[in-house]
Each structure stands twice: as structure tokens, then as C-alpha cells.
Amino acid sequence: MLHVERLTKTFHVDHLGRDIPAFAPIDFQLAPGQFALISGANGAGKSSLLRCLYRTYKPSGGSAHYAAHAGTIDLATAADVDIALLRREELSFVTQFLRSRPRVSALEWVAEPLLNAGHAWDAAVESAGTMLDALGLKRALWSAYPSTFSGGEQQKVNLARALVYPRRLLLLDEPTASLDAAARASLAERLAAIKDAGVAMIGVFHYPQEVMHLVDHEVRLEGMTNDVAA
Amino acid sequence: MTATSNRPSSSPDKGVPVSQPARTHGYASLQPPVLTTRSPLLVASGLVKRYGRVTAVEGVEVDAYEGEVLGIVGESGSGKSTVLRLLNLQESPDAGTYTLDLPGLAGQDLFALDRFARRDVQTRSIGVVYQNPYLGLRMRFTSSGNVAERLLITGERSYAALRAAARESLAASEFPLDRMDDPPRLLSGGMQQRVQLAKALALKPRLLLLDEPTTGLDVSVQALVLDTLKRLQRERSMTIVLVSHDLGVIRALADRVLVMRNGRVVERGLTDQILEDPQHAYTQQLVHARL
């Protein structure tokens, strides 16, 4: 369902007048229900690769053909509206950072993807609660605003939002960085379940041991040398 | 109408000079939509607007799909509010076409309509919220009257129906109904914006235009208004065009963004891409100027 060929990314920073390479051309493929682990040293471009696939970053070269329900497109060059459509229906991204809107409760933030997909309020909120429970977020916090939460609590909210309505391709950027052991175990369990359901995953994990049993292939990014910059 | 809020595009830049990008670092051109099979609700093409010797808008293209929030960012004088006034059919352009894919209007260039037909499209299909509530509201009428006036224009005469519609629209905007008969001049800024929003929504328009809707409000009130807008957009699948210089507001609401400078669109893209990986030198400056 995903075929990445020679995908690469370079930043051009205008006020520095120079190019900064993010990662060297990369190739890999992924079928439904498969899990690809992205590995490499700090600064090898692991997060940048995920962001290129989600199109938060605009790739500089190569392609990433993705077989969507409605047809195959190249994520690297597809129209913005097509990417927006995929993000609503097929593609989701979990980062280590929470970007909630002010004055939106944790429960509502987690329920929002379901509401956006047209689910009824009560059902959406109930699913959101189940997910927060599974990841171990204290009920007392459900109606509070996540911007005041600790790092681990924010990450639980983030993960719950991504997993409450799993899409076909899930991008995970160090989702366990500040989670406790119980939450990490619960996450691994949930990932195994959605993998069985056919969800494909590409992940960067600081401590990959917990998910190693889910990994189908490892995509290794080699460090870039700085002299690539023009 | 004159462009009091628009500074000449030929005015010297106040900031650091911005060069055109020597090269793009992401794919410069994208493919046409493949998965998105519906046509956009709004298409405006080749927009040009001059005020005397000043060119406020120069060759701007805008498209927006049903249920989408399109942000327009840029500094004061970039032409973003002029684009919004053109889309609201408040002013005529010097060049350009504008279509809304609505029953009976598909393919019709709205700029080519006569004054009365234009006014009709504006009333029935387009809602607008201005930064300055004095532009959008009669300050001495009741708030409910301000909202009901929209229905009066379309011929509704039953007091009960007008009252019910005003109440419904004010409630949807999360306006406290026990104050619906207070005139806007007695209300806080946040509540005035809710009256404007209720008025804009009264006729259930397909297109909602927002010109700096939360600028000047307290941060906490701003968050509440943003939340209301997000909910309305989800529930009514309206198309929203949002003009703001506040990148936080844009991030919270917009799906896609146009970046304007000196009357032109210098960059367009997905909101997170514009904010995280800006391609154009000017957008890089704008994003990094954020506090």
C-alpha cells in the first residue's frame, strides 16, 4: 500500500543562505498490517521522514506512492486537498508533542476525530473515555484542559486521539518518550490489535524493545554528512 | 468605497529585505487533485484590485472546498482584507472572475451580475464577520433585531418566525440568550462578535468570511470564539475563508493557507506545512517572527 522510492528532503534556510539536508534518498515498501521501524542515530532524519510522508514537510525529491481507497497517489507531490482528505480518512500521525486547542477538554480533544468523521456525540465521547482509560489517564483529568498536563499525561491524550479512530496508515513519532511502563505496555497491546485489523504503521521509537515483536521491517537511516549543503 | 485599511503596495518595506527564494527545497509544483472528485465551492481567478495608482491585489487565485477552512495570512497592507471584500461582493475587481458552485449559480461569474443579483447572492449565500463589530452591526438596535434583519431582507414578516430564527442563530453562536434584546453597544467585544456570527449564520450561508474575527479580544475570550467557530464548521460543513495575521488562530482553524505579500500570493499549502516547512523566504520570516 506504500511504495517509497528515493524519497529525500533538504531544507533551504533563506536567512542562512544555505541548504540543510534532512535525510538521504530512502526506499522501502509497506503492506497493510505491516509495521516498519525507522532507526538511526540522532539527527539522521527519522522524524523528518515521517513528516514528509504526512506532508508537514514538503519532500525535495523521490516519491511515496500510496494506494488510497479511491486510487493511488504520490504523497510527495499530491495536491494539498488530496492530502487533507487522506488525513481525515486514512492517515494519522502521533507526535511526542501535544497541540490541543485552548479550552477544549481532554475528552473532547480525543473524541474530535470521531466527531469529524460524523459519529454522534455520545458514542464519540464514550469511545474517547474507553481509550483514555486503556492508556491510564486519570478520570479526574478528562474534563480538564490538556495544555496544563504533565508530559506523560499529554502524551496519553495525544495517543488516545490517534488511536480512537485508527486510519489505514499510522505514523508514530516517539509516542512513548514520556510514558510510564504500564502505559507503554497498554500502547503495545493496542498497536498489536490495530495491526491485526490491517492498519499499517511506520514508527520511530526511542526504546523499540516494547514494540520489537510487532516489527516487520526496519528502515535504517544513515547519518548525513554536512558537506552535502551547497 | 475606499481602501482606508490598505496601505500602498509600493510602500517601502519596513523589515528586512526579502529575496525571492534562490531555489525551492520542496517540490515546487504539485499534481492536480485525484482523490478529491468534487469541484471546489469557491473559485476566484485572476483577481486584480487597484485603488488609484495603488494595486492592492494583483493576480490572486483562490479556491476552497465544501467544509474546508482556508486561511489567508500576511501583514497589514498585503491585500488579504481586500481579497475578502471582493469575495463578499462588496467591491468590484479591476479584473478576475468569481464563481460559487451553488444551485442556480454554477458557472456564473458573480462579478458579472447586476447590483441587485449580487446583493441577493451576498445576502443568501455569504456570511461575514468583521474584526470591527461597528462594520457589521447596528449598535443601537437590539442584538436579536440585528440577527432578524437578515431574514427580513429575504421577505420573512412573521414576528414569531423572526424571533425564533434569531434565537436559534444566537444560541448556535453560544450567545447568552438572556441578553438577546440588549443592543450590541452594551455588550463586551466577545459578545459583539457572537452577535455578528449569529447574524452571518442566520440564513445558513454556504460560505462564511471571517476578517480577523478574534483580533482585539482577550486571549480567553478568543479561545471560546475559536471553539465556537470550529464546532459550527464541523456541524454545518460550511466553507470558511479566514483572514488573520495571527498564526495561532490560523493553526487552530485552517486546513490550508495562502500567504499574501504586496497583493500577491507568495505561497500556498497545508497549514502545518506552511508553519513547519515554509518554502518562500517571506513565509520563513513571517513564521519565525512568531513569539
Side-chain angles (χ1 to χ4, degrees):
Chain A
M1 72 191 285
L2 181 68
H3 190 168
V4 176
E5 272 182 301
R6 308 296 296 159
L7 189 70
T8 184
K9 172 66 185 166
T10 299
F11 294 100
H12 177 74
V13 182
D14 187 74
H15 69 99
L16 300 177
R18 55 182 283 234
D19 286 351
I20 300 172
F23 56 88
I26 186 130
D27 301 84
F28 68 94
Q29 294 189 40
L30 198 67
Q34 286 192 334
F35 189 122
L37 179 72
I38 312 290
S39 64
N42 282 340
K46 303 186 290 293
S47 296
S48 295
L49 170 59
L50 292 183
R51 287 171 187 220
C52 279
L53 293 173
Y54 197 64
R55 268 279 287 285
T56 297
Y57 290 167
K58 253 187 174 176
S60 311
S63 62
H65 283 96
Y66 170 79
H69 274 307
T72 296
I73 59 166
D74 176 8
L75 298 177
T77 58
D80 291 324
V81 286
D82 278 352
I83 297 290
L85 180 110
L86 282 183
R87 288 175 175 189
R88 280 194 299 274
E89 297 176 355
E90 301 192 24
L91 194 57
S92 53
F93 194 4
V94 200
T95 66
Q96 33 189 327
F97 310 106
L98 178 83
R99 279 199 186 276
S100 59
R101 280 197 313 283
R103 304 288 175 117
V104 177
S105 73
L107 195 62
E108 191 179 343
W109 183 248
V110 172
E112 194 173 72
L114 293 167
L115 295 171
N116 287 342
H119 293 234
W121 174 266
D122 288 350
V125 166
E126 192 184 325
S127 304
T130 308
M131 193 54 57
L132 285 171
D133 241 348
L135 289 166
L137 186 80
K138 291 191 288 285
R139 277 171 185 264
L141 294 177
W142 289 7
S143 51
Y145 305 133
S147 51
T148 60
F149 291 5
S150 74
E153 288 160 352
Q154 291 198 351
Q155 205 151 45
K156 288 174 186 177
V157 172
N158 234 358
L159 274 167
R161 179 174 158 105
L163 297 177
V164 76
Y165 180 57
R167 262 48 76 82
R168 295 179 67 221
L169 177 59
L170 178 58
L171 307 172
L172 300 149
D173 189 5
E174 304 224 14
T176 58
S178 31
L179 288 186
D180 51 56
R184 287 204 302 271
S186 157
L187 172 67
E189 206 173 288
R190 175 70 183 161
L191 292 182
I194 64 174
K195 180 176 152 73
D196 283 344
V199 174
M201 288 176 260
I202 306 174
V204 175
F205 286 81
H206 199 56
Y207 298 106
Q209 300 86 335
E210 279 118 358
V211 292
M212 236 23 195
H213 60 289
L214 303 175
V215 171
D216 297 291
H217 20 245
E218 189 170 334
V219 178
R220 188 149 183 89
L221 295 182
E222 305 298 339
M224 297 279 294
T225 49
N226 281 326
D227 53 13
V228 182
Chain B
M1 179 128 358
T2 52
T4 48
S5 65
N6 275 279
R7 248 161 273 155
S9 60
S10 54
S11 71
D13 289 319
K14 296 173 292 287
V16 189
V18 175
S19 59
Q20 291 299 308
R23 61 178 87 67
T24 54
H25 56 269
Y27 277 111
S29 64
L30 299 174
Q31 288 159 14
V34 176
L35 305 178
T36 307
T37 48
R38 289 173 315 177
S39 46
L41 174 86
L42 179 166
V43 179
S45 197
L47 297 182
V48 175
K49 181 66 183 174
R50 298 189 193 92
Y51 299 104
R53 287 172 30 239
V54 176
T55 302
V57 170
E58 176 78 65
V60 167
E61 314 281 321
V62 185
D63 66 326
Y65 288 74
E66 186 185 277
E68 183 179 49
V69 182
L70 179 71
I72 305 181
V73 299
E75 60 201 4
S76 306
S78 60
K80 55 193 195 310
S81 294
T82 305
V83 168
L84 209 73
R85 286 198 298 275
L86 293 173
L87 296 180
N88 193 34
L89 297 168
Q90 261 169 277
E91 297 185 30
S92 298
D94 291 289
T97 59
Y98 176 22
T99 58
L100 288 176
D101 190 6
L102 295 173
L105 288 174
Q108 169 69 48
D109 178 11
L110 302 178
F111 293 137
L113 293 173
D114 68 43
R115 195 152 63 88
F116 302 101
R118 259 206 243 190
R119 178 77 204 193
D120 193 56
V121 174
Q122 188 189 33
T123 306
R124 290 175 193 275
S125 303
I126 306 176
V128 64
V129 175
Y130 300 97
Q131 174 184 352
N132 180 352
Y134 281 80
L135 286 175
L137 297 176
R138 296 172 196 275
M139 285 294 166
R140 290 169 183 280
F141 280 33
T142 62
S143 294
S144 52
N146 267 282
V147 178
E149 191 189 4
R150 299 291 284 179
L151 289 99
L152 270 172
I153 295 172
T154 63
E156 179 60 61
R157 289 290 178 270
S158 146
Y159 178 78
L162 290 170
R163 185 92 185 145
R167 174 180 286 272
E168 184 200 324
S169 204
L170 284 163
S173 306
E174 291 163 33
F175 181 87
L177 292 178
D178 57 331
R179 301 203 61 183
M180 68 186 273
D181 295 322
D182 288 356
R185 70 187 168 88
L186 298 181
L187 301 173
S188 68
M191 281 204 257
Q192 288 176 347
Q193 291 310 65
R194 290 183 189 278
V195 178
Q196 274 208 80
L197 187 58
K199 180 179 170 183
L201 295 173
L203 293 173
K204 303 197 162 53
R206 299 289 303 284
L207 175 62
L208 181 62
L209 305 174
L210 306 172
D211 191 2
E212 305 274 7
T214 61
T215 304
L217 300 180
D218 287 344
V219 184
S220 59
V221 177
Q222 184 174 352
L224 294 172
V225 173
L226 285 181
D227 200 43
T228 303
L229 288 170
K230 189 77 189 170
R231 184 181 53 76
L232 285 167
Q233 184 253 337
R234 182 168 70 218
E235 288 172 1
R236 304 197 174 194
S237 77
M238 282 180 300
T239 300
I240 298 180
V241 179
L242 164 68
V243 163
S244 183
H245 69 270
D246 183 337
L247 298 178
V249 170
I250 293 287
R251 184 190 280 279
L253 286 182
D255 298 300
R256 290 189 300 131
V257 174
L258 308 181
V259 182
M260 285 193 67
R261 181 162 202 258
N262 293 342
R264 295 173 187 273
V265 174
V266 296
E267 184 169 352
R268 59 181 73 221
L270 293 158
T271 303
D272 53 331
Q273 181 256 302
I274 293 288
L275 295 176
E276 310 283 336
D277 186 20
Q279 309 286 303
H280 191 277
Y282 172 68
T283 317
Q284 292 189 5
Q285 275 195 6
L286 193 73
V287 167
H288 294 136
R290 221 172 0 162
L291 288 177

